[in-house]
Amino acid sequence: MSIHNCRGPMCLKTVQPSHAADMPPGKSVAADAKAEDHLFVPPLNFSMVDYGIYRSGFPNSANFPFLKTLGLRSIIYLCPEPYPEDNMQFLNANGIRLFQFGLEGSKELFINIPENLILSALRVLLDERNYPLLIHCKRGKHRTGCLVGCLRKCQNWCLASIFDEYQRFAADKARVTDQRFIELFDISRIKKLATSPPYI
C-alpha cells in the first residue's frame, strides 16, 4: 500500500495497486479496496490559519473522520441557519463546542456587515482555551475571509498581505466590499475585549 499527501495536514489516501501480483505477501486486492473506505477528506477550502486555528467551508459527514484527527475543541460557525443534526451529533460525540454568529451571506454594502458580530467572534477566536478551533461558513470564502482578515489586522499584517490571503480563498468571487470592511475595521476595539467579562 502506498500513501500520498494532499493539501492540508494529515490528509492521507490509500492507493490500490492495479494488479494483484503487485500486492505484498499476505495482502489481497479486496483487503486493499476495503481500506479505501477509510479516507481522510478535508472540507472545502480547508487550511491552517495559525497554530490551533483552521478555516474551511461547511463540513459534511465525509469530512468528520478528518476533523476528528484535528482534536477540535471549538467551531465558529458564521451562518444564521441552524446547524444540521448530523453535524451536531458529531460535535456532541467529540466534545466540540459550537459558537454561532449569524452573518448573512449578503452582497450588500460593507456597512451592513455587523461589526459587533465580528467582534464577538474575534473574542472567541482570540481565546486560546478554545483551541484547536475551526472557523467556517458555507464555502469558506467571504464571511470566513472577513473574520480571518480582521484577525490578521490584530496580528499586525499589512493590508496587501491580508488582501492576498483573502483573494486566494475567494478567487473570482472576491468582493471589494469585504476588503473595504477589513480595511476600515477598528482594531482598537479588540483591546477592550480583554477587559470585558468572559463569554458564557
Side-chain angles (χ1 to χ4, degrees), residues 5-164:
N5 291 321
C6 64
R7 293 181 180 270
M10 305 178 72
C11 178
L12 305 178
K13 178 178 179 181
T14 57
V15 180
Q16 180 179 337
S18 57
H19 301 289
D22 296 330
M23 297 293 292
K27 295 278 285 183
S28 69
V29 173
D32 196 63
K34 187 176 180 180
E36 289 197 353
D37 293 336
H38 304 286
L39 306 182
F40 293 101
V41 182
L44 175 73
N45 262 339
F46 177 83
S47 183
M48 185 174 186
V49 176
D50 206 336
Y51 179 78
I53 304 174
Y54 305 93
R55 62 179 290 170
S56 76
F58 209 111
N60 57 45
S61 58
N63 309 134
F64 293 168
F66 173 80
L67 293 182
K68 194 170 182 179
T69 68
L70 302 178
L72 295 175
R73 286 186 182 176
S74 311
I75 285 180
I76 292 179
Y77 172 47
L78 298 174
C79 301
E81 296 81 12
Y83 219 48
E85 184 60 31
D86 286 350
N87 293 60
M88 285 303 305
Q89 289 178 5
F90 172 75
L91 267 57
N92 292 333
N94 291 278
I96 301 171
R97 189 171 182 182
L98 178 68
F99 296 91
Q100 182 171 3
F101 302 95
L103 297 173
E104 294 289 343
S106 173
K107 296 182 180 179
E108 298 298 322
L109 293 176
F110 66 94
I111 56 174
N112 290 331
I113 297 175
E115 186 170 292
N116 284 337
L117 278 181
I118 293 291
L119 281 166
S120 296
L122 276 171
R123 189 178 184 186
V124 174
L125 181 55
L126 293 171
D127 188 342
E128 294 185 5
R129 294 173 296 178
N130 296 320
Y131 299 174
L133 176 150
L134 173 70
I135 308 163
H136 80 81
C137 50
K138 286 189 177 178
R139 298 192 177 276
K141 294 181 178 181
H142 304 111
R143 286 168 280 196
T144 298
C146 283
L147 181 57
V148 171
C150 292
L151 171 67
R152 298 309 192 193
K153 287 192 77 172
C154 297
Q155 296 175 327
N156 295 317
W157 281 34
C158 68
L159 279 176
S161 296
I162 294 172
F163 293 162
D164 179 68

